[in-house]
Amino acid sequence: MNLQIDDILNKLVDECLSAPAFATLDAQQKEVQKQKILNHFYTRILFITIDNLTDEQYGQIQDLKPEDPQFEQKIESFTQEMPQLLDLFDQTLKKDADYIKNTGQLPSLEEDQSQNPL
Amino acid sequence: MAEEGSEILVDKRIAEGLLAVADESTPSISNTTTSNETSLNTPRKPRFIPRLRQGFRNLLHRPSSDGDNSLSGAAVSSETAEKEPLFGSNLYKDAEGGIGSVPKVEPPPQSTPTLNSEPLPTTASGLSESVMQQANIKARQEGKPLPYPEAQGVKLPYALEGKLLDLKGERDVLIQKLSDLMISDAERAEFEAQIATLDGQINQFMFPTPEERKQQVEETKKELTDIRAANEDLEPSYKEDLNNQIDSFISELDNYIKDIPEAADAERSILRRVLDYKLPLVGATVKDYLIYTAVGSSTGLVARTAVLNGMRIFLSVGATPVATTLAGAAAGGASGFAREYIKLVRDEKRQEKISELREKYNDRNTLKRELLVRLKSGDLQRLGKASLRGAIVGAMSGFVAFEVASWAKDHIDLNSFIEGIKHHLPGGGTDRGSTLSVKPEPTPTPWHSPSPHETPINSSAGVHSTSTPIATETPTPTPTHPLPNSSPLELSSTPTVHSTPAVNLPPGHSGTNIDLGNHGASGTGPGSTGLEPKPGSNLSVGSSHGSTLGVSADKANGSFGTHSAPVGETAFHIPDGVIPKDGIVHLSEGSNPWNMASKIGEHALGRPLTPEETLELTKEIARQSKVAVPGWGIGGPGFTDEHSLGTGYKLVFNDKVVSLLQSFKK
């Protein structure tokens, strides 16, 4: 059993890639798609986190550069105070995974709900 | 007790080689003896009990406190070290070494190798980077009273850490064996039983009672004494090293039991229950997560700190300023409890917040887009992982807070606590400076239908109806998703707060939560808030999947009448006003039918219902009221799904329900 952070999402990505929509891809193509899906998941996690920040928390990161180590530290610190967040990640990522499996496309992160082809 | 096992030379000159040997030896679950006896010409080496092997391994990583670095980790190969997380190495260590007379022990070296390739979370050094710790540090620097209670912490002695690691190793082996499809059912059952036993033992090490702690120490000291006796004829330099180590171990062990934190029993009880919660997304229990990740030690620390803070908060109500209490609650694991309540009492303001939030999320969209544009893949993943790590810790804290709240329900007067909160919120009554509208009495209890494996909400006799014994613990829960799915946190899944304009999700998505301060864990499970509405109080708030449910149980409005007992029944009398004369209670907006049922039953009986009674009662009311609850096997034509009940839905408290209550009375 391996519960490292990477593996939690990698497992979900592998599940997506095992869907028929990706059956025709060769190993190299799958690796490319894997990174795209993984990035999508992490982006989703980050966006959910941002949406769930309090005004005060948001204020603290608003003006930080994303590359600033403080940004990461604060994000991690804030999420530790959100007991419901993991469940939200769970629900949202699994829905995204279902979408990817069914359509072979990434769900939109933007407002227009257009799909992002992989 | 002592058993002969693999041999380890305790000398840095050959430590690396010995560790390699140790790594090759599978943790034993039998009494198999390995023998590598040395030749007559070789100075006799010390023989160690297998259980202590890891303890000695840890010692090799341990910084020397007296400058004698003969056993330092310098000789440990990084390759070897990476194979084994030094789980527990700071499991019990408070970020600041704890307070009071808890022994302060040197932290392990920063370079402590771990299994996890991830950097430890920012809280790896405990809660030092948390808001709470930062505020405390600042207050200390300014010479002001500490705003937050500080966590106690003790570090597990190295010898006991070794045992814990060995138990983990045994568990690993068994779990590996379980995955073998070729094993027989009997073997599977045997392994599972052994794992259960090991789980109990691991729990004892992770969260020992004072008695267990003493017993562990005594046993280990005896083993150490046996080792000393068995190695009397050692070559002098080896013997000296060995004896020094043993003395050091014994000294640590003595310190370990010298001062046992207060409330250890309750703490242990709470934490052991938490261990069995299943973490969403991770797909593993807290216990497994703690055991199998290097992050475990820090997350365990966070959880433990959270529970300690939470308990102190609850215990200190009335004794210390509530402002301090609330501050602690907001910062510690119990934050959810406090925040959830705050959110609940001002829920009526939520709608007003929505438009404001839409504005806010437009603003946040800008940041999101910036992140997408600016961040490279690696940075994106790094930040995402940070979120995920934090969320895992947060979930654990939530579990703890839930259990603390459940525990507190039976130990303190929560109404006093809540009253205190209302008057001591920052901003003069709000948690964020907004106007807090607090009804005088309402103590809303969010709802969900209890699953067949759960005790319905507000069962004052306990939280869970099914239990899995852990070690010596009496009923312990086997919850799976105590958080939002089954919880008052459904409040935050109300569509009005779900749809985050900033992020349009794919069809089918319910969206992300808008934070209204609802990071609460009080809603993380049945009975989670522990907030018991008083008789006659309004029951409000509580929705699920967009439906709004409510039960107006306001005695003042006269909606409740007196139940007329069936003819011939004299022994059972339901007090006036508990059940309306017509046996019908109309749901009003935001109420929880199952809580309603539970409370009525409680009032009718004049005592708290047991978990079993609560479950039985709510099931019966579901049947009589034609509420479909698939999890209970209740449904059929004409039944309405529990999540689709609208305002005004009739809950039926007919003779069958009364008869059931009567049977409880007997």
Side-chain angles (χ1 to χ4, degrees), chain B residues 629-640:
Chain B
V629 186
W632 290 343
I634 297 173
F639 278 70
T640 305

Side-chain angles (χ1 to χ4, degrees), chain A:
Chain A
M1 187 187 298
N2 193 336
L3 298 174
Q4 294 179 38
I5 297 289
D6 275 333
D7 292 312
I8 294 168
L9 291 191
N10 280 336
K11 208 163 62 178
L12 206 56
V13 174
D14 289 342
E15 200 182 304
C16 292
L17 290 174
S18 65
F22 300 94
T24 56
L25 302 182
D26 61 30
Q28 195 177 359
Q29 288 169 322
K30 275 193 175 180
E31 187 54 40
V32 172
Q33 304 304 345
K34 182 175 181 173
Q35 283 309 313
K36 284 185 179 177
I37 298 172
L38 204 55
N39 277 346
H40 169 82
F41 284 156
Y42 281 120
T43 307
R44 178 72 84 195
I45 283 174
L46 205 50
F47 283 12
I48 292 173
T49 303
I50 291 170
D51 282 345
N52 280 273
L53 296 176
T54 65
D55 288 347
E56 187 190 342
Q57 290 167 340
Y58 181 67
Q60 288 186 44
I61 62 160
Q62 196 173 6
D63 297 325
L64 287 177
K65 291 180 180 174
E67 302 84 359
D68 188 333
Q70 266 198 47
F71 191 97
E72 180 182 355
Q73 286 170 13
K74 284 189 182 293
I75 286 284
E76 183 166 346
S77 166
F78 296 152
T79 51
Q80 288 178 3
E81 297 175 23
M82 303 179 189
Q84 91 286 11
L85 199 62
L86 189 63
D87 197 74
L88 200 55
F89 289 165
D90 180 66
Q91 291 172 30
T92 311
L93 294 189
K94 281 178 180 167
K95 280 180 183 169
D96 277 7
D98 283 344
Y99 186 90
I100 293 166
K101 280 189 277 186
N102 292 332
T103 65
Q105 294 183 322
L106 290 176
S108 172
L109 293 160
E110 299 293 337
E111 290 163 302
D112 61 5
Q113 293 202 20
S114 62
Q115 306 307 318
N116 301 329
L118 281 169

Side-chain angles (χ1 to χ4, degrees), chain B residues 73 80 82 113 116 146 208 257 364 390 421 431 445 457 541 545 561 565 583 598 602 643:
Chain B
T80 306
E82 281 172 6
N116 197 340
L146 300 186
I257 54 169
R364 294 187 185 196
I421 287 177
D431 60 345
T445 312
I457 292 169
V541 183
H545 305 287
S598 173
E602 196 171 320
H643 296 302

